[in-house]
mmCIF file with all atom_site columns, all heavy atoms in Angstrom:
data_model
loop_
_atom_site.group_PDB
_atom_site.id
_atom_site.type_symbol
_atom_site.label_atom_id
_atom_site.label_alt_id
_atom_site.label_comp_id
_atom_site.label_asym_id
_atom_site.label_entity_id
_atom_site.label_seq_id
_atom_site.pdbx_PDB_ins_code
_atom_site.Cartn_x
_atom_site.Cartn_y
_atom_site.Cartn_z
_atom_site.occupancy
_atom_site.B_iso_or_equiv
_atom_site.pdbx_formal_charge
_atom_site.auth_seq_id
_atom_site.auth_comp_id
_atom_site.auth_asym_id
_atom_site.auth_atom_id
_atom_site.pdbx_PDB_model_num
ATOM 1  N N   . SER I 1 26 ? -128.385 -268.129 88.869 1.00 94.00 ? 26 SER I N   1
ATOM 2  C CA  . SER I 1 26 ? -128.101 -266.963 87.885 1.00 94.00 ? 26 SER I CA  1
ATOM 3  C C   . SER I 1 26 ? -129.236 -266.008 87.636 1.00 94.00 ? 26 SER I C   1
ATOM 4  O O   . SER I 1 26 ? -129.101 -264.869 87.422 1.00 94.00 ? 26 SER I O   1
ATOM 5  C CB  . SER I 1 26 ? -127.570 -267.498 86.632 1.00 94.00 ? 26 SER I CB  1
ATOM 6  O OG  . SER I 1 26 ? -128.458 -268.499 85.845 1.00 94.00 ? 26 SER I OG  1
ATOM 7  N N   . GLY I 1 27 ? -130.539 -266.759 87.505 1.00 94.00 ? 27 GLY I N   1
ATOM 8  C CA  . GLY I 1 27 ? -131.694 -266.095 87.361 1.00 94.00 ? 27 GLY I CA  1
ATOM 9  C C   . GLY I 1 27 ? -131.985 -265.099 88.587 1.00 94.00 ? 27 GLY I C   1
ATOM 10 O O   . GLY I 1 27 ? -132.436 -263.923 88.352 1.00 94.00 ? 27 GLY I O   1
ATOM 11 N N   . LEU I 1 28 ? -131.803 -265.668 89.777 1.00 95.00 ? 28 LEU I N   1
ATOM 12 C CA  . LEU I 1 28 ? -132.154 -264.908 91.052 1.00 95.00 ? 28 LEU I CA  1
ATOM 13 C C   . LEU I 1 28 ? -131.154 -263.763 91.009 1.00 95.00 ? 28 LEU I C   1
ATOM 14 O O   . LEU I 1 28 ? -131.470 -262.624 91.378 1.00 95.00 ? 28 LEU I O   1
ATOM 15 C CB  . LEU I 1 28 ? -131.922 -265.815 92.246 1.00 95.00 ? 28 LEU I CB  1
ATOM 16 C CG  . LEU I 1 28 ? -132.015 -265.111 93.576 1.00 95.00 ? 28 LEU I CG  1
ATOM 17 C CD1 . LEU I 1 28 ? -133.332 -264.476 93.874 1.00 95.00 ? 28 LEU I CD1 1
ATOM 18 C CD2 . LEU I 1 28 ? -131.544 -266.049 94.621 1.00 95.00 ? 28 LEU I CD2 1
ATOM 19 N N   . LEU I 1 29 ? -129.823 -263.898 90.860 1.00 96.00 ? 29 LEU I N   1
ATOM 20 C CA  . LEU I 1 29 ? -128.914 -262.942 90.952 1.00 96.00 ? 29 LEU I CA  1
ATOM 21 C C   . LEU I 1 29 ? -129.212 -261.750 89.915 1.00 96.00 ? 29 LEU I C   1
ATOM 22 O O   . LEU I 1 29 ? -129.108 -260.634 90.267 1.00 96.00 ? 29 LEU I O   1
ATOM 23 C CB  . LEU I 1 29 ? -127.448 -263.458 90.732 1.00 96.00 ? 29 LEU I CB  1
ATOM 24 C CG  . LEU I 1 29 ? -127.017 -264.386 91.873 1.00 96.00 ? 29 LEU I CG  1
ATOM 25 C CD1 . LEU I 1 29 ? -125.771 -265.067 91.504 1.00 96.00 ? 29 LEU I CD1 1
ATOM 26 C CD2 . LEU I 1 29 ? -126.861 -263.626 93.221 1.00 96.00 ? 29 LEU I CD2 1
ATOM 27 N N   . SER I 1 30 ? -129.595 -262.238 88.726 1.00 94.00 ? 30 SER I N   1
ATOM 28 C CA  . SER I 1 30 ? -129.934 -261.195 87.752 1.00 94.00 ? 30 SER I CA  1
ATOM 29 C C   . SER I 1 30 ? -131.145 -260.403 88.114 1.00 94.00 ? 30 SER I C   1
ATOM 30 O O   . SER I 1 30 ? -131.184 -259.196 87.859 1.00 94.00 ? 30 SER I O   1
ATOM 31 C CB  . SER I 1 30 ? -130.141 -261.865 86.356 1.00 94.00 ? 30 SER I CB  1
ATOM 32 O OG  . SER I 1 30 ? -128.945 -262.408 85.783 1.00 94.00 ? 30 SER I OG  1
ATOM 33 N N   . ARG I 1 31 ? -132.193 -261.059 88.572 1.00 94.00 ? 31 ARG I N   1
ATOM 34 C CA  . ARG I 1 31 ? -133.489 -260.346 89.037 1.00 94.00 ? 31 ARG I CA  1
ATOM 35 C C   . ARG I 1 31 ? -133.125 -259.335 90.318 1.00 94.00 ? 31 ARG I C   1
ATOM 36 O O   . ARG I 1 31 ? -133.806 -258.343 90.345 1.00 94.00 ? 31 ARG I O   1
ATOM 37 C CB  . ARG I 1 31 ? -134.387 -261.352 89.566 1.00 94.00 ? 31 ARG I CB  1
ATOM 38 C CG  . ARG I 1 31 ? -135.196 -262.023 88.398 1.00 94.00 ? 31 ARG I CG  1
ATOM 39 C CD  . ARG I 1 31 ? -136.441 -262.884 88.946 1.00 94.00 ? 31 ARG I CD  1
ATOM 40 N NE  . ARG I 1 31 ? -136.115 -263.757 89.968 1.00 94.00 ? 31 ARG I NE  1
ATOM 41 C CZ  . ARG I 1 31 ? -135.596 -265.038 89.636 1.00 94.00 ? 31 ARG I CZ  1
ATOM 42 N NH1 . ARG I 1 31 ? -135.388 -265.370 88.421 1.00 94.00 ? 31 ARG I NH1 1
ATOM 43 N NH2 . ARG I 1 31 ? -135.365 -265.848 90.624 1.00 94.00 ? 31 ARG I NH2 1
ATOM 44 N N   . ARG I 1 32 ? -132.177 -259.607 90.996 1.00 94.00 ? 32 ARG I N   1
ATOM 45 C CA  . ARG I 1 32 ? -131.761 -258.792 92.042 1.00 94.00 ? 32 ARG I CA  1
ATOM 46 C C   . ARG I 1 32 ? -130.739 -257.746 91.676 1.00 94.00 ? 32 ARG I C   1
ATOM 47 O O   . ARG I 1 32 ? -130.379 -256.881 92.471 1.00 94.00 ? 32 ARG I O   1
ATOM 48 C CB  . ARG I 1 32 ? -131.101 -259.502 93.280 1.00 94.00 ? 32 ARG I CB  1
ATOM 49 C CG  . ARG I 1 32 ? -132.050 -260.594 93.841 1.00 94.00 ? 32 ARG I CG  1
ATOM 50 C CD  . ARG I 1 32 ? -133.087 -259.955 94.796 1.00 94.00 ? 32 ARG I CD  1
ATOM 51 N NE  . ARG I 1 32 ? -133.986 -261.070 95.394 1.00 94.00 ? 32 ARG I NE  1
ATOM 52 C CZ  . ARG I 1 32 ? -133.766 -261.349 96.804 1.00 94.00 ? 32 ARG I CZ  1
ATOM 53 N NH1 . ARG I 1 32 ? -132.780 -260.817 97.396 1.00 94.00 ? 32 ARG I NH1 1
ATOM 54 N NH2 . ARG I 1 32 ? -134.642 -262.169 97.110 1.00 94.00 ? 32 ARG I NH2 1
ATOM 55 N N   . GLY I 1 33 ? -130.530 -257.634 90.400 1.00 95.00 ? 33 GLY I N   1
ATOM 56 C CA  . GLY I 1 33 ? -129.669 -256.470 89.849 1.00 95.00 ? 33 GLY I CA  1
ATOM 57 C C   . GLY I 1 33 ? -128.100 -256.723 90.079 1.00 95.00 ? 33 GLY I C   1
ATOM 58 O O   . GLY I 1 33 ? -127.445 -255.748 89.899 1.00 95.00 ? 33 GLY I O   1
ATOM 59 N N   . ILE I 1 34 ? -127.740 -257.971 90.361 1.00 95.00 ? 34 ILE I N   1
ATOM 60 C CA  . ILE I 1 34 ? -126.332 -258.236 90.623 1.00 95.00 ? 34 ILE I CA  1
ATOM 61 C C   . ILE I 1 34 ? -125.717 -258.453 89.162 1.00 95.00 ? 34 ILE I C   1
ATOM 62 O O   . ILE I 1 34 ? -126.185 -259.318 88.469 1.00 95.00 ? 34 ILE I O   1
ATOM 63 C CB  . ILE I 1 34 ? -126.194 -259.475 91.384 1.00 95.00 ? 34 ILE I CB  1
ATOM 64 C CG1 . ILE I 1 34 ? -126.870 -259.381 92.806 1.00 95.00 ? 34 ILE I CG1 1
ATOM 65 C CG2 . ILE I 1 34 ? -124.707 -259.875 91.671 1.00 95.00 ? 34 ILE I CG2 1
ATOM 66 C CD1 . ILE I 1 34 ? -126.564 -258.310 93.606 1.00 95.00 ? 34 ILE I CD1 1
ATOM 67 N N   . LYS I 1 35 ? -124.687 -257.722 88.901 1.00 95.00 ? 35 LYS I N   1
ATOM 68 C CA  . LYS I 1 35 ? -123.899 -257.885 87.601 1.00 95.00 ? 35 LYS I CA  1
ATOM 69 C C   . LYS I 1 35 ? -122.839 -258.890 87.729 1.00 95.00 ? 35 LYS I C   1
ATOM 70 O O   . LYS I 1 35 ? -122.303 -259.125 88.800 1.00 95.00 ? 35 LYS I O   1
ATOM 71 C CB  . LYS I 1 35 ? -123.381 -256.520 87.187 1.00 95.00 ? 35 LYS I CB  1
ATOM 72 C CG  . LYS I 1 35 ? -124.351 -255.253 87.114 1.00 95.00 ? 35 LYS I CG  1
ATOM 73 C CD  . LYS I 1 35 ? -125.108 -255.617 85.829 1.00 95.00 ? 35 LYS I CD  1
ATOM 74 C CE  . LYS I 1 35 ? -126.199 -254.442 85.732 1.00 95.00 ? 35 LYS I CE  1
ATOM 75 N NZ  . LYS I 1 35 ? -127.220 -254.673 84.953 1.00 95.00 ? 35 LYS I NZ  1
ATOM 76 N N   . ARG I 1 36 ? -122.584 -259.649 86.561 1.00 95.00 ? 36 ARG I N   1
ATOM 77 C CA  . ARG I 1 36 ? -121.434 -260.530 86.668 1.00 95.00 ? 36 ARG I CA  1
ATOM 78 C C   . ARG I 1 36 ? -120.315 -259.852 86.899 1.00 95.00 ? 36 ARG I C   1
ATOM 79 O O   . ARG I 1 36 ? -120.019 -258.760 86.285 1.00 95.00 ? 36 ARG I O   1
ATOM 80 C CB  . ARG I 1 36 ? -121.557 -261.437 85.406 1.00 95.00 ? 36 ARG I CB  1
ATOM 81 C CG  . ARG I 1 36 ? -122.643 -262.264 85.345 1.00 95.00 ? 36 ARG I CG  1
ATOM 82 C CD  . ARG I 1 36 ? -122.495 -263.207 84.148 1.00 95.00 ? 36 ARG I CD  1
ATOM 83 N NE  . ARG I 1 36 ? -122.267 -262.667 82.910 1.00 95.00 ? 36 ARG I NE  1
ATOM 84 C CZ  . ARG I 1 36 ? -122.026 -263.248 81.679 1.00 95.00 ? 36 ARG I CZ  1
ATOM 85 N NH1 . ARG I 1 36 ? -122.216 -264.567 81.652 1.00 95.00 ? 36 ARG I NH1 1
ATOM 86 N NH2 . ARG I 1 36 ? -121.881 -262.437 80.674 1.00 95.00 ? 36 ARG I NH2 1
ATOM 87 N N   . ALA I 1 37 ? -119.248 -260.407 87.604 1.00 96.00 ? 37 ALA I N   1
ATOM 88 C CA  . ALA I 1 37 ? -118.023 -259.781 87.796 1.00 96.00 ? 37 ALA I CA  1
ATOM 89 C C   . ALA I 1 37 ? -117.084 -260.074 86.714 1.00 96.00 ? 37 ALA I C   1
ATOM 90 O O   . ALA I 1 37 ? -115.941 -259.465 86.487 1.00 96.00 ? 37 ALA I O   1
ATOM 91 C CB  . ALA I 1 37 ? -117.402 -260.137 89.188 1.00 96.00 ? 37 ALA I CB  1
#
Side-chain angles (χ1 to χ4, degrees):
S26 60
L28 172 65
L29 295 170
S30 294
R31 282 191 305 278
R32 296 288 180 98
I34 307 300
K35 302 286 186 202
R36 293 190 306 181

